[in-house]
Each structure stands twice: as C-alpha cells, then as structure tokens.
C-alpha cells in the first residue's frame, strides 16, 4: 500500500469511528488507538502536503468541529424568482433567443428546506455543509449522518463528487412534533423549514436524529471524471449512485410546461415536503455554460413562487381560553376549510385589539391564510358578506370560567382573570406542573388533569401526591394498570429536584432558565425563600421583574402554603445536582469496568457526573480512576500497566465521605 492509499484508508477508518462515537454514541475504538490513527494521518499529510485536503478529519479538532466554516469550491447559487406565468414565458423567450437549436427544461418542485452540499470521496460520504452565504457554509456532517435516507456509500460513483440538495422536515413529522408540543403547552414550531434549520444546527446529533429530517438532491456541483451533457442525465446518475433525487419532469414546449407549473401548485399537498414554488431549469449543461450567471443567480433557471394559499370561510363563534396566569385568549371557530393540506377549524384571534382593529364579528366571512404550515391566521373580513344582524364583538369583562373580574393593565394587550380560585387557571397550572419540562409526570396530560379536577380528586399540585391507585381505578379510560402507572409516575416526580420544581410552580416570569440559575446558586428552596430581593437581582440573568414576581409569589399565602404542602408530601426541594464546576470530582475522569454490586453502572456514572466528574469508556494516561467490579477484563489490566489507580466499590464509597 502506498502512502496515498494509506491516507485514504486512514481517513475512511477515522470517519467510521467518528460516526460510531458522535452519532451512534457507541465508541468502536479506544481513545489512544483513535489518537494513533489521527497522528499517523497527520504525519502522512505533512509528508505529502499536496494530498492534504480540507475535509480530512485531521482538519477538525478532536474529530468533528461541528459548525466550523466550510468554503464551497463551487458556490451554492440562489435562484431568480418570478411570480406570474408571463414572467416565466419571458424567461423562456430569453433562453431561446440566446441559444441555438431546440431547448428542453427540467421542472422540479422548489423544496422549502435548507440547502446543503455533500462531499463523497471514493464513494463514501465524508462531509456536508450548509449553504451559508453560498460561498462559505457550516460543517453539519454530524447531523447529516443521522438522516436515514442519506446514503453513506455510493455505488459506482467517481472518486470525488459534490452534490447539492435540500434537507427538509417531512410535513407528517412536523405535524406530529407540533401536536406533541401543543399537548405540552409548549410554543409551536412556526413551519417545517425553521424546524429543519433548527434541527440541523443542533449540537447534539441525538436531538437531530429525533427530528427525523429527510433530504432530496437536485444537482451535481462537482465531480471527477467525465460530466453528463444534460441535467436529466445528471439526476439519473445521482439516482444510480443511490442518492434520493428530486422528482422531476422534462418539457420541450412552453405551454405544457406552464400547465405543469400550475398543476404542481395545485397538488403541492401530495408531496412529503413543503414546496413554495416550481423551479424551471435548462436541461443542457453546455447551454447553461453559454448563458452563465449574474452576480446572485444563474440565467438558465427560474423559480416560480406560489402565493400562500388563502381561503374564505365563515366564522361561527368566538371562544375564550384562560391560560395558567389568567390571560384570556380569544379563538375563532371556523366552518371547516381545507388549507395547505390540513382542515382548519379554528384560528387564534390573539387579543381584544386584534378583533377590534379588524372588526371581526361572529357570522362574518373571513379570509384565512396559512403560509407554509404556520398556524392559520385571519387576514381580513369580507365585508360584502356580512350578515345584517352581525354585531361588534364585546370582549368579556368577567372570566368565562369563574366569573371573576377581568382586568387589562395600562399599556398591556393582555386581559387577565383576577379569580384566585379560577378552575380554568387551576387546570392549566396543574397541566403545566406535570408537563415534560417541569415535573415530567408521564400520563398526566391536560385531559387527565381535567378528569381529576372534575372528580374533585385534586385542587392543587400537592394533592397529586396523596392520590392512591384506588382513587383512579374507576376513572373513564383507567384500568388497574394505568392507575398504578400514574401513581408511580407521580411518585417518581418527587425526585425531580429544585430547578424543575421551581419551573413547575408556574411563577410568572420564572421560566426554565431562571429556574436553573436560581437552583444552582441557592441549592434549596429554603435558601431562596429567605433570600432578600437584592440577593435575587444580584444574579446574572435574574432581572428586577423576575425577582419581584418570585418574591411576591413566595410571600403570598397561597404560594407559601403550596410550597409547604409539597415539601410535606416529600417533594424534593433541593438541587438535584450540586454546582458541577465545584464538584468533588471536577476535572477527573473515571472509567467503569466489570460487574458492580452496589450500583448499576448508570447509577455510578450519575454519581460521578453529579460531582463534576467525567465518565469515559476507555483507559488512558489521562484517566484519574478505574472503578473495577467483578470480572473486570482488559481495562483493569491496562489501568495496572499505566499505573492508573484502581478502586473497588468500597474505595469508591470512601471518596464520598
Ligand atoms: P432563494 O433562496 O429564494 O434564492 O431560492 C433558492 C433556494 O431554493 C436554493 O438555495 C435552494 O436551497 C432552494 N431549492 C429548493 N428546491 C430547489 C431545486 N429543485 N432546485 C434548486 N434550488 C432549490
């Protein structure tokens, strides 16, 4: 094997280990062996600088430096937009005038996702980057590797190919994610495009993997060896290599092309991705070279943009929802209407001013719009259709759930219910308490909360901890097992710790971030309760409004009582994890091996990380301790050889004394 071959082999091997380590979270090699491979590759690259290249794993510190800048050798160009069929015809006329002979076009959907360029070497996927500004993007290889449909190996591809495509979140995945978020009362993702962008920019590939992104490819940016003559052949080549290729159709005459553009718009719901237009591309690659590009986009393509879909429907009712802090949100009930792939039956009306400014009345015909998958919006009222008896909407001045007065502070758009005992607020607060980001009580969603409240089984979160399986057994939809499960889930939530408890209380202004900051600084609810306002505002990230809101809550009889009863019910009100940077194992690395008696490996690992330590899977000179149970094998031998201290479980315990 010559040096060149060895370098190629090393790169491939290192990439495989990177994949196992970063994506599968299942290291396939020991640290020092990995280091040796990288060292050897570095040495060879130093000896053959002409062979070094920017995609080599050695160019990335510690394997993959996610999001490091990547220069695109062939820029990822933009597209010129057209908005009418006339403009599209004018584009065709310009192309025909500039080129001799017949002209063919390829029509593709314009996928509303994120453009990426993928590099394959010797048939292996080596790296991928976002478009960025077209010239420089970001390395997102670690997340692209989680895409199920992106092949890691190509069949029969030339030595080096760079292909371009669009990463998208399938609409079905997007809807499922939003349904989950809605159930948990979390803010909804605006549209699949943003959701895909956010997922691709996750540092943690596991999170990206859960988002189930997909990809379609639509261009060869660069390749070694002979090029095809046409775009359709390029697409066929990509498909033959095994890449998922964009759906496409070829046209030689303008009228059928225009028809197809319109049809694609009418059937856009049928595609798994969101599409916001149709791209018309010259098929001939030599023809493309003749036409060239302007500063921002090629002259040989045009993107026809579809307007966001709008429909008229009747607004049959306006209802009011009361949130957990008492805010009243009006919602429109609509006669069902199909819009951008889903049936729309309601839309938010935001607040009193929104309704007044648009003069929206029950019985009106309204224009609704859904750009992409964004939550439907009411654009306007069709006044010509207004029924003679429609009256201006009067925003309620008492809470529809409890009858307490509704107040709207000067300068605020939100109106609030002032009822201390409001059942709607109570239900929302309970659902929030149990939600995933808070106490994470599995099986206690909004519907179950409503059931418990309706039966008078609970009033406050503290009541949850008094529930017994027998209380739940005769609830509709509950069997013995589900009752047991719910009680077990409630019990488990006792141990969530201070930061989650603080957030779960639903104190106005005290969100997840503030809860973490407070928990880490004070360590216990008792310490927070006795903290002066100044001690709270002194913390980074805690502003005066948050501090005042927190103090007001803690000093209120209801707040104090709830906390007392939660603590009495055995809910932990101290931080689950001490400040990690100050932990007793800060800066130390442990390796676990063999069968432990007193702990599971997970428990031992958690105790170590809770004290600021790190758990590694392989032994090296950098290892601080090896914790060895029975039947410890090669890691123990290695620790002894390297002189790394070996601990029994008893020794381990003494570290905590
Ligand atoms: P714009 O960003 O509006 O200039 O539109 C250009 C973008 O459309 C490119 O960056 C691509 O990401 C995207 N795009 C989606 N589908 C296609 C396609 N079939 N051909 C070319 N570009 C596409």
């Amino acid at each position: 094997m010559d040096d060149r071959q060895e370098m190629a082999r090393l790169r491939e091997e290192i990439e495989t280990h990177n994949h196992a380590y970063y994506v599968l979270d299942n290291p396939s090699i020991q640290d020092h062996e990995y280091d040796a491979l990288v060292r050897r590759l570095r040495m060879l690259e130093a000896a053959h600088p002409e062979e070094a290249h920017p995609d080599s794993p050695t160019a990335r510190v510690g394997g993959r430096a996610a999001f490091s800048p990547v220069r695109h050798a062939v820029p990822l160009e933009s597209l010129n937009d057209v908005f009418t069929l006339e403009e599209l015809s004018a584009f065709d006329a310009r192309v025909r005038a500039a080129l001799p002979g017949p002209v063919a076009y390829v029509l593709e959907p314009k996928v509303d996702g994120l453009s990426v360029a993928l590099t394959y070497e010797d048939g292996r996927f080596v790296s991928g980057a976002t478009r960025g500004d077209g010239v420089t993007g970001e390395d997102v290889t670690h997340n692209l590797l989680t895409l199920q449909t992106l092949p890691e190996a190509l069949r029969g591809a030339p030595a080096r190919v760079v292909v371009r495509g669009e990463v998208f979140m399938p609409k079905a995945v997007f809807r499922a994610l939003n349904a989950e978020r809605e159930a948990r009362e979390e803010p909804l993702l605006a549209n699949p495009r943003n959701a895909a962008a956010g997922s691709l920019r996750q540092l943690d590939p596991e999170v990206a993997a859960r988002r189930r992104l997909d990809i379609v490819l639509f261009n060869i940016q660069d390749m070694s060896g002979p090029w095809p003559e046409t775009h359709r052949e390029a697409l066929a080549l990509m498909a033959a290599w095994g890449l998922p290729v964009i759906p496409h159709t070829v046209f030689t005459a303008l009228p059928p092309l225009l028809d197809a553009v319109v049809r694609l718009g009418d059937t856009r719901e049928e595609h798994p991705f969101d599409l916001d237009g149709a791209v018309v591309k010259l098929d001939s690659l030599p023809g493309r070279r003749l036409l060239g590009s302007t500063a921002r986009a090629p002259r040989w393509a045009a993107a026809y943009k579809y307007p966001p879909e709008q429909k008229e429907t009747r607004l049959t009712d306006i209802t009011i929802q009361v949130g957990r802090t008492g805010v009243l949100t009006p919602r429109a009930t609509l006669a069902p209407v199909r819009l951008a792939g889903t049936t729309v039956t309601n839309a938010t009306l935001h607040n009193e001013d929104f309704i007044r400014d648009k003069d929206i009345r029950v019985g009106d015909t309204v224009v609704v719009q859904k750009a992409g998958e964004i939550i439907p919006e009411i654009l306007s009222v069709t006044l010509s259709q207004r029924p003679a008896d429609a009256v201006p909407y009067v925003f309620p001045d008492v809470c529809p759930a409890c009858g307490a007065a509704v107040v709207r502070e000067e300068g605020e758009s939100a109106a609030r219910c002032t009822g201390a005992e409001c059942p709607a607020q109570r239900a929302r607060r309970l659902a929030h308490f149990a939600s995933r980001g808070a106490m994470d009580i599995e099986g206690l969603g909004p519907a179950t909360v409503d059931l418990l409240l309706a039966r008078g089984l609970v009033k406050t979160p503290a009541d949850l901890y008094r529930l017994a399986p027998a209380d739940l057994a005769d609830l509709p939809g509950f069997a013995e097992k589900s009752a047991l499960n719910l009680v077990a889930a409630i019990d488990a939530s006792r141990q969530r710790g201070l930061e989650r408890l603080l957030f779960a209380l639903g104190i106005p202004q005290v969100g997840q971030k503030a809860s973490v900051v407070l928990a880490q600084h004070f360590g216990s609810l008792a310490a927070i309760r006795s903290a002066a306002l100044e001690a709270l505002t002194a913390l980074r990230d805690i502003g005066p409004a948050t501090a005042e809101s927190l103090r007001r809550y803690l000093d209120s009889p209801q707040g104090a009582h709830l906390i007392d009863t939660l603590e009495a019910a055995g809910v932990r009100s101290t931080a689950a994890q001490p400040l990690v940077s100050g932990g007793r194992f800060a800066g130390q690395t442990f390796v676990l091996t063999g069968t432990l008696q007193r702990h599971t490996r997970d428990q031992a690992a958690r105790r170590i990380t809770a004290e600021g330590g790190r758990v590694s899977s392989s032994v090296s000179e950098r290892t601080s301790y090896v914790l060895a149970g029975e039947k410890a094998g090669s890691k123990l031998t290695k620790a002894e050889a390297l002189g790394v201290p070996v601990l029994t479980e008893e020794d381990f315990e003494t570290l905590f004394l």
Side-chain angles (χ1 to χ4, degrees):
M1 186 160 40
D2 66 25
D3 286 356
R4 224 186 75 91
Q5 285 168 326
E6 190 186 352
M7 283 160 75
R9 207 212 60 211
L10 282 167
R11 282 184 189 135
E12 185 179 320
E13 204 180 333
I14 293 168
E15 294 292 1
T16 312
H17 294 309
N18 281 348
H19 181 66
Y21 185 88
Y22 289 100
V23 182
L24 309 175
D25 197 23
N26 182 17
S28 50
I29 184 174
Q30 306 226 332
D31 287 355
H32 73 282
E33 290 164 342
Y34 175 91
D35 292 347
L37 293 177
V38 175
R39 256 198 316 276
R40 171 83 187 145
L41 179 57
R42 278 223 174 91
M43 213 184 76
L44 290 171
E45 285 177 342
H48 304 276
E50 74 287 355
E51 294 290 340
H53 68 78
D55 288 328
S56 170
T58 54
R60 282 155 288 176
V61 188
R64 305 222 148 270
F67 313 129
S68 55
V70 176
R71 246 186 108 77
H72 301 296
V74 179
L76 273 59
E77 285 181 305
S78 189
L79 290 167
N80 283 322
D81 291 337
V82 299
F83 298 94
T84 62
L85 295 179
E86 288 72 43
E87 287 176 272
L88 199 53
S89 308
F91 158 77
D92 167 63
R94 281 197 303 277
V95 170
R96 287 182 200 272
L99 297 178
V103 164
Y105 296 105
V106 178
L107 174 67
E108 300 169 1
K110 187 167 187 290
V111 182
D112 198 11
L114 248 96
S115 216
V116 293
L118 315 177
T119 303
Y120 284 84
E121 276 168 16
D122 298 321
R124 308 280 307 179
F125 173 61
V126 292
S127 63
T130 59
R131 174 178 171 207
D133 61 4
V135 178
T136 308
E138 289 177 326
D139 189 325
V140 285
T141 311
H142 63 300
N143 285 337
L144 288 170
L145 282 165
T146 67
L147 269 59
Q148 300 266 322
T149 48
L150 184 146
E152 280 185 59
L154 300 184
R155 292 183 301 266
R160 180 179 160 82
V161 282
V162 182
V163 289
R164 175 178 179 183
E166 201 81 357
V167 171
F168 63 93
M169 177 175 285
K171 288 191 288 197
V173 172
F174 175 78
R175 288 190 196 122
L177 272 183
N178 259 357
E180 270 176 35
R181 294 174 83 95
E182 191 165 20
R184 285 188 255 124
E185 290 194 31
E186 288 172 4
L188 299 188
L189 303 165
N191 56 46
R193 201 198 115 78
N194 289 0
S199 310
L200 209 53
R201 298 207 73 268
Q202 286 288 338
L203 207 49
D204 179 355
E206 259 187 53
V207 176
R210 280 203 295 277
R211 299 289 181 89
R212 287 172 286 161
L213 301 180
D214 204 340
I215 187 167
V216 281
L217 295 145
F218 56 72
N219 202 44
I220 297 181
Q221 296 291 105
D222 200 5
M223 66 185 273
S224 52
W227 277 73
E229 286 287 300
T230 61
H231 183 55
R232 77 182 94 161
E233 289 170 86
L235 295 176
L237 259 183
M238 289 198 283
W241 296 335
L243 290 165
V245 165
I246 193 144
H248 55 281
T249 330
V250 180
F251 293 89
T252 49
L254 183 64
L257 172 66
L258 297 183
D259 286 346
V261 166
V262 173
R263 218 169 32 248
L264 181 61
D266 291 341
T267 56
R268 52 179 143 156
E269 293 167 17
E270 294 164 16
H271 290 275
F273 39 74
D274 238 354
L275 64 96
D276 61 342
V279 190
V280 176
K281 298 175 175 175
L282 182 67
D283 189 32
S284 157
L285 302 189
R288 288 184 180 187
R289 284 191 282 277
L290 267 176
L291 285 169
S293 295
T294 64
R296 75 174 279 277
R299 290 197 187 83
W300 45 261
Y304 177 87
K305 288 289 195 73
Y306 298 115
E309 218 185 323
Q310 296 178 354
K311 289 255 175 81
E312 283 193 338
T313 189
R314 239 172 67 83
L315 185 153
T316 55
D317 198 9
I318 294 176
T319 58
I320 299 281
Q321 284 191 329
V322 184
R324 77 181 145 85
T325 55
V327 174
L328 270 58
T329 306
R331 262 160 84 92
T333 310
L334 304 171
V337 58
R338 284 293 287 180
L339 196 61
T342 52
T343 302
V344 173
T345 53
N346 50 51
T348 177
L349 294 169
H350 304 287
N351 52 46
E352 185 177 5
D353 295 348
F354 183 86
I355 301 177
R356 205 194 33 233
D357 293 350
K358 294 201 185 305
D359 187 18
I360 296 170
R361 304 181 183 188
V362 173
D364 269 341
T365 295
V366 291
V367 179
V368 282
Q369 167 174 306
K370 227 163 108 184
E373 294 274 330
I374 304 179
I375 306 122
E377 261 204 322
I378 292 184
L379 283 187
S380 58
V381 173
T382 310
L383 287 176
S384 59
Q385 311 255 0
R386 172 166 283 172
D389 59 352
V391 290
Y393 179 73
V394 183
F395 204 81
D397 54 8
V398 293
C399 172
C402 72
V406 167
V407 295
R408 190 172 156 184
E409 304 279 337
E410 267 296 302
E412 270 204 21
S413 57
R416 285 172 206 274
C417 157
T418 52
E421 298 279 306
C422 176
Q425 289 186 48
R426 176 167 284 154
R428 294 301 170 110
R429 276 201 299 269
L430 267 166
H432 169 75
F433 185 85
S435 67
R436 209 186 280 184
M439 298 301 261
D440 193 12
I441 303 177
E442 174 119 28
L444 189 51
T448 308
V449 164
D450 286 345
L451 266 181
L452 297 179
L453 282 168
R455 289 290 174 99
L457 287 169
V458 296
K459 274 183 124 176
T460 75
D463 300 333
L464 292 171
Y465 296 97
R466 282 196 285 271
L467 287 175
D471 299 328
L472 307 172
D474 63 339
L475 290 181
F478 269 79
E480 194 181 333
K481 185 150 177 5
S482 39
L484 282 174
N485 285 347
L486 182 53
V487 171
I490 292 170
D491 181 42
S493 77
R494 284 190 164 93
Q495 298 305 323
R496 294 284 179 259
L498 180 59
E499 60 185 55
R500 292 208 177 211
L501 178 62
L502 265 178
F503 176 60
L505 290 173
I507 304 164
Q509 314 266 1
V510 181
Q512 263 167 322
K513 183 153 178 226
S515 303
V516 171
V517 171
L518 290 162
Q520 293 209 335
H521 183 81
F522 289 99
S524 73
L525 199 48
I528 298 177
R529 288 175 93 172
S530 58
L533 195 61
E534 300 72 49
L536 299 172
T537 45
L539 291 183
R540 198 166 39 87
D541 298 319
I542 305 291
T546 308
E548 273 165 35
S549 171
L550 175 60
R551 253 314 359 135
R552 206 174 314 125
Y553 181 89
L554 297 172
D555 295 337
S556 72
Q558 292 99 324
H561 179 70
L562 177 59
I563 292 171
D564 289 341
T565 41
L566 283 168
E567 285 184 330
V571 174
R572 174 179 182 148
S573 61
T574 51
Q577 296 189 351
L579 236 185
V580 166
S581 60
R584 68 181 83 205
F585 299 149
Q588 299 186 352
T589 304
F590 284 71
V591 173
L592 312 181
T593 180
T595 317
L596 304 179
Q597 301 299 324
R598 300 188 179 192
H599 305 82
T600 65
R601 283 224 196 164
D602 257 6
Q603 286 166 340
R606 263 201 301 277
R607 288 184 73 184
I608 292 163
T609 45
E611 291 286 352
R614 222 172 70 83
V615 179
S616 163
S617 58
S618 62
V619 181
S620 73
E621 288 93 330
R622 295 191 300 271
T623 309
S624 318
Y625 296 104
V626 169
L627 171 58
E630 281 182 34
K631 302 209 194 76
S634 63
K635 287 181 188 170
L636 178 58
T637 328
K638 176 124 180 267
E640 283 163 354
L642 291 172
V644 173
V646 176
L647 306 176
T648 62
E649 277 191 281
E650 284 75 10
D651 299 333
F652 181 61
E653 286 304 330
T654 62
L655 298 181
F656 291 90
L657 295 178

